[in-house]
């Protein structure tokens, strides 16, 4: 989750995310081939080591150290898988493959952020980054450079634009499927 919203410059400590949402986002990296392969390798090594190691006392110490080491490495494997999954999910937003979102906005007064939001909404350029119980994060893809430039809007559940920021990104060389 933090890797995904980090792709849009949002610090994970700034958002309150319900546990079910965290679990939904956490499942994707946990089922990645690299994580599953690492777990299978560790299980096979653990079983083999338990069978082939010497005395029970020596075996328990080695197994404890090996298990703690594998756990530390596992955290890095999961982090790398999460970052790869986050890039893929963010790519869907930037390329326009994520759902077009139109929240109801209350405009107490006209300002530059609201005007930009309306223009983007009218040309169907808004894509939802994530919706949370208290706010929604939206990306307005640039009209001429949709995969490289955009504007993020944070909309409260009351319908007010509470934050807006210009976004720039460098798409990877393999990302040539950008929809105008």
């Amino acid at each position: 989750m933090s890797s995904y919203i980090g792709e849009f410059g949002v610090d994970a400590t700034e958002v309150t995310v319900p546990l079910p949402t965290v679990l939904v986002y956490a499942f994707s990296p946990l089922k990645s081939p690299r994580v599953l392969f690492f777990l299978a390798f560790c299980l096979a090594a653990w079983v083999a080591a338990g069978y082939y190691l010497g005395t029970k006392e020596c075996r328990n110490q080695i197994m404890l150290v090996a298990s703690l080491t594998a756990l530390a490495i596992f955290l890095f494997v999961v982090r790398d898988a999460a970052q790869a999954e986050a890039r893929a999910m963010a790519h869907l937003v930037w390329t326009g493959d994520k759902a077009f979102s139109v929240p109801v906005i209350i405009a107490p007064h006209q300002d530059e952020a609201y005007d930009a939001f309306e223009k983007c909404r009218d040309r169907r350029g808004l894509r939802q980054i994530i919706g949370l119980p208290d706010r929604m994060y939206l990306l307005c893809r640039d009209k001429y450079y949709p995969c490289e430039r955009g504007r993020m809007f944070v909309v409260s559940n009351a319908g007010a634009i509470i934050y807006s920021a210009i976004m720039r990104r460098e798409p990877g060389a393999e990302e040539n499927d950008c929809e105008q």
Side-chain angles (χ1 to χ4, degrees), residues 111-121 140 151 153 164:
D111 66 2
E112 190 257 334
Y114 181 76
D115 292 342
F117 181 89
E118 277 191 322
K119 287 177 186 173
C120 189
R121 180 196 62 208
C140 173
R151 184 173 189 156
F153 295 99
S164 166

Side-chain angles (χ1 to χ4, degrees), residues 64-86:
L64 177 64
V65 170
S67 296
L68 292 174
T69 303
L71 178 62
I73 294 169
F74 178 70
L75 295 175
F76 288 102
V77 171
V78 169
R79 184 204 62 198
D80 291 345
Q83 288 174 339
E85 185 68 25

